Amino acid sequence: MSNCYCGRSFSYDSCCGTIHQDISSVTTAEDLMRSRYSAFVLANGDYLMQSHHSSTRPSSKEKKSIVRWAKSVQWVKLEVVRTTLGKSDDTEGTVHFKALYYENGSLQMIEEHSKFVKEQGYWVYLDAL
């Protein structure tokens, strides 16, 4: 069995795949962030839009360019540096993460402190801090 794309030692189907099928099943902000990383690996634009807060969600035109970019890079790994709040009984939380990928043969890194909130009862990405 190989690990999930998010780095956890579960299969994709029993980890982020479950969340991709039912976003309301996500219990923590970190789980939502990990599922978004897996969605970037899979270039799953629909899930990336669904898991983005309605007030900051990219347009459909931006979605196409996000998917195009996600397909153009080779994802390497996700590292969660730190989380604050974001547990099942919280309504907001932050996740500091690093995502490594190859673009045009060069190793690149996205490092972000992300803010997550609950919208309609489930976790969504709001924006970078």
Side-chain angles (χ1 to χ4, degrees):
M1 175 181 82
S2 60
N3 290 350
C4 185
Y5 302 107
C6 77
R8 289 198 166 138
S9 58
F10 303 103
S11 70
Y12 165 77
D13 288 341
S14 64
C15 190
C16 290
T18 301
I19 298 168
H20 290 171
Q21 294 298 313
D22 178 12
I23 195 168
S24 68
S25 71
V26 71
T27 56
T28 68
E30 180 180 341
D31 289 346
L32 191 278
M33 191 280 311
R34 287 179 175 277
S35 73
R36 284 180 53 82
Y37 174 84
S38 291
F40 273 102
V41 172
L42 298 169
N44 182 344
D46 291 338
Y47 181 78
L48 290 170
M49 296 303 109
Q50 180 186 24
S51 62
H52 210 292
H53 192 274
S54 61
S55 69
T56 56
R57 185 175 296 138
S59 70
S60 58
K61 183 179 179 182
E62 291 169 307
K63 172 187 167 186
K64 289 177 184 172
S65 74
I66 291 167
V67 168
R68 193 176 319 111
W69 176 76
K71 288 179 178 179
S72 76
V73 302
Q74 179 187 356
W75 295 95
V76 177
K77 75 172 188 171
L78 172 68
E79 177 188 342
V80 174
V81 178
R82 184 168 183 260
T83 63
T84 57
L85 300 172
K87 302 295 184 211
S88 60
D89 54 349
D90 294 320
T91 57
E92 62 179 49
T94 66
V95 180
H96 175 191
F97 71 90
K98 297 176 183 179
L100 283 80
Y101 61 95
Y102 281 102
E103 186 170 28
N104 300 320
S106 176
L107 185 62
Q108 304 288 322
M109 180 179 69
I110 298 169
E111 182 171 5
E112 184 176 299
H113 284 90
S114 298
K115 182 166 185 174
F116 297 86
V117 297
K118 284 188 177 171
E119 182 177 48
Q120 298 177 1
Y122 60 84
W123 287 105
V124 291
Y125 170 76
L126 183 62
D127 59 19
L129 296 175

